[in-house]
């Protein structure tokens, strides 16, 4: 999902195909680094709670093999962005480092949401700074990413609240509890959609404002999904359903951002 979002943002700001491919591959490598390291660090916890969806915990793949791939992905994810410029290299390094910090221990603290705010917040900068010449992102785009990161974190954690509690992981969503965490997640989702519309209407050029009807329609769909999600939280519905709603809303939000064009960049 993060790589798809990267590609859509790159197309929206007009990255040439080669630069778009490089930044997409770099982000994919970075996300693999974060995901693989998470499963490596959590292997014992996953075994303790019987996670059948985790290959390392089930013994289907060795920790050594996963470590090798994770290190290779980390090298690719670090080196490639610098071929597009120092700005892209540094911001992507911050994005990946933030995710690794979460895996390494921040997930168990009240600051568990911070890595998601940072990583998703700087993602637009990774893309816009990959242009030639590099262009800083619009402030509203950074805000959309940061707020969306809150929604992703809270709904991603919801299905595992019980397992996490048994293995000592107590992040911010755990401290808030299922109901409040779910409401925060879908509230953040609606906020991200609203920020995207406001940003496009207030900072875009004529072309972006003319396509604003698509952005408003997309925001309406995202807000509707947020309302459905909030109702599901209150009614105690499946946490997996909540995450699927967030992923569906993410696709709509991606389409919404795709209409932003030059409004995604500052100035």
């Amino acid at each position: 999902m993060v790589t798809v979002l990267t590609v859509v943002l790159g197309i929206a700001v007009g990255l040439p195909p080669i630069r778009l491919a490089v930044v997409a591959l770099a982000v994919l490598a970075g996300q693999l680094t974060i995901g693989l390291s998470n499963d490596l660090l959590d292997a014992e916890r996953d075994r303790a709670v019987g996670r059948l969806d985790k290959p390392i915990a089930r013994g289907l793949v060795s920790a050594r093999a996963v470590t090798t791939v994770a290190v290779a992905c980390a090298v690719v994810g670090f080196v490639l962005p610098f071929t597009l410029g120092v700005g892209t290299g540094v911001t992507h390094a911050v994005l990946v480092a933030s995710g690794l910090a979460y895996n390494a221990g921040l997930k168990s603290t009240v600051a568990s949401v911070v890595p998601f705010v940072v990583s998703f917040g700087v993602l637009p900068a990774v893309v816009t700074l990959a242009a030639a010449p590099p262009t800083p992102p619009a402030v509203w785009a950074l805000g959309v990413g940061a707020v969306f990161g809150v929604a992703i974190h809270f709904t991603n954690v919801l299905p595992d609240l019980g397992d996490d509690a048994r293995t000592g992981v107590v992040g911010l969503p755990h401290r808030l509890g299922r109901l409040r965490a779910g409401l925060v997640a879908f509230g953040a989702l609606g906020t991200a959609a609203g920020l995207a519309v406001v940003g496009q209407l207030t900072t875009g050029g004529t072309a972006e404002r003319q396509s604003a009807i698509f952005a408003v329609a997309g925001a309406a769909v995202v807000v509707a999904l947020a309302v459905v999600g909030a109702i599901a939280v209150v009614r105690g519905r499946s946490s997996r359903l909540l995450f699927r709603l967030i992923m569906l809303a993410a696709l709509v939000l991606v389409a919404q951002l795709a209409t932003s064009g030059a409004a995604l960049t500052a100035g």
Side-chain angles (χ1 to χ4, degrees):
M1 182 62 69
V2 175
T3 306
V4 169
L5 179 56
T6 300
V7 171
V8 171
L9 291 176
I11 293 172
V13 300
L15 286 184
I18 295 298
R19 286 183 169 268
L20 179 61
V22 171
V23 76
L25 182 58
V27 168
L28 177 60
Q31 293 303 299
L32 286 170
T33 302
I34 295 170
L36 293 172
S37 65
N38 180 69
D39 276 14
L40 281 167
L41 293 171
D42 283 354
E44 291 303 319
R45 293 180 53 249
D46 292 336
R47 289 191 188 99
V49 297
R51 289 288 297 271
L52 299 179
D53 58 333
K54 298 292 186 177
I56 301 176
R58 292 182 61 189
L60 299 178
V61 62
S62 70
R64 181 176 181 180
V66 175
T67 300
T68 300
V69 176
V71 170
C73 288
V75 172
V76 172
F78 179 79
V79 173
L80 265 187
F82 279 98
T83 66
L84 299 176
V86 174
T88 296
V90 170
T91 52
H92 188 253
V94 169
L95 186 158
V96 175
S98 179
L100 294 177
Y102 175 83
N103 294 343
L106 280 179
K107 65 168 64 179
S108 300
T109 72
V110 70
S112 64
V113 71
V114 173
F116 284 81
V117 171
V118 171
S119 291
F120 281 89
V122 303
L123 182 60
V126 173
V127 176
T128 64
L129 292 174
T135 307
V139 173
W140 71 264
L142 299 176
V144 170
V147 176
F148 186 63
V150 175
I152 287 290
H153 173 47
F154 276 67
T155 50
N156 189 42
V157 168
L158 285 177
D160 302 322
L161 289 180
D163 289 347
D164 287 345
R166 289 196 294 273
T167 54
V169 175
V170 186
L172 181 58
H174 306 78
R175 297 162 196 256
L176 292 178
R178 183 185 180 281
L179 177 60
R180 284 185 291 179
L183 293 177
V184 167
F186 287 102
L189 181 62
T191 301
L195 280 175
V197 171
V198 172
Q200 184 166 343
L201 291 176
T202 58
T203 64
T206 302
E208 285 75 24
R209 283 192 288 270
Q210 288 176 343
S211 64
I213 184 171
F214 299 106
V216 172
V221 173
V222 173
V223 170
L225 289 171
V227 171
V228 171
I231 293 173
V233 168
V234 172
R235 293 182 175 177
R237 297 291 177 81
S238 165
S239 294
R240 296 293 177 188
L241 168 65
L242 303 181
F243 190 66
R244 292 188 186 102
L245 285 173
I246 286 286
M247 289 298 97
L248 177 59
L251 291 173
V252 178
L253 186 60
V254 165
Q256 183 182 352
L257 290 174
T259 67
S260 300
L264 287 167
T265 58

